[in-house]
Amino acid sequence: MTDRDQRTIGAPLALLVLYTLFIAAITLTPQQLGTGPDTLIGHALDLFAAHRETSWLTYERVEKLGNVAMFIPFGFLAALHFGRRRWWLGFAVGASLSAAIEIFQGTVLTQTRFATLSDLVTNTLGAGLGALFGLAAMVMWPSRRTRSDSGRRLAAV
């Protein structure tokens, strides 16, 4: 049997495609999420600033944490798709996707978006964490043997 569980061949790929489209919708459109004072993010940041325990949570930190969080599912699903032996491709493909996004933002969407090295780093960090979580999930959940595998094993004995 290969390193990929037969139960997880199609589902991670379908979810990965859908999630990649979600990332594209968030990052490759001219409009950014509203961050003004009368938006949900603005109200949340005001709430964080009003409390000593959460005052460290500034817009810049929330943005960086959001970038990491947005790419964790991508790395996770990519690792599941590629399997145990090639789980690291979740990290590499995530880094490549992030680079492509930043290049697009820096060349095509220059009027409304900004390409930054910190976005590339935080997106890549998120994809790497997701890929590690995917590897951990594959290690913790043993692959299910198919009937042909168990038949081959019995014939070998």
Side-chain angles (χ1 to χ4, degrees):
M1 185 168 161
T2 65
D3 66 328
R4 289 181 16 187
D5 188 348
Q6 295 300 315
R7 294 173 294 175
T8 61
I9 288 178
L13 179 58
L15 291 172
L16 181 61
V17 168
L18 290 173
Y19 197 74
T20 302
L21 292 173
F22 168 75
I23 290 174
I26 299 272
T27 60
L28 300 178
T29 56
Q31 296 82 17
Q32 293 187 28
L33 288 175
T35 58
D38 289 332
T39 63
L40 179 62
I41 294 172
H43 290 300
L45 290 171
D46 288 342
L47 181 67
F48 294 147
H51 298 87
R52 185 175 37 129
E53 296 81 13
T54 56
S55 63
W56 61 272
L57 206 50
T58 62
Y59 174 77
E60 291 79 20
R61 289 184 177 141
V62 168
E63 181 186 23
K64 287 180 184 5
L65 290 171
N67 285 344
V68 171
M70 182 170 58
F71 271 78
I72 288 174
F74 180 89
F76 180 81
L77 292 169
L80 290 181
H81 171 68
F82 290 119
R84 284 187 189 180
R85 291 189 185 136
R86 296 182 305 161
W87 66 271
W88 54 271
L89 285 172
F91 172 74
V93 173
S96 299
L97 175 62
S98 179
I101 289 168
E102 295 305 313
I103 289 168
F104 188 80
Q105 287 179 346
T107 57
V108 177
L109 300 175
T110 57
Q111 299 297 319
T112 58
R113 296 284 190 150
F114 302 98
T116 64
L117 183 59
S118 69
D119 284 354
L120 176 64
V121 169
T122 54
N123 294 345
T124 301
L125 176 63
L129 287 171
L132 285 171
F133 293 154
L135 175 63
M138 288 184 283
V139 168
M140 290 185 338
W141 297 324
S143 61
R144 186 168 60 182
R145 301 281 182 204
T146 61
R147 285 187 183 151
S148 60
D149 285 341
S150 56
R152 275 187 237 139
R153 234 190 291 142
L154 288 175
V157 176

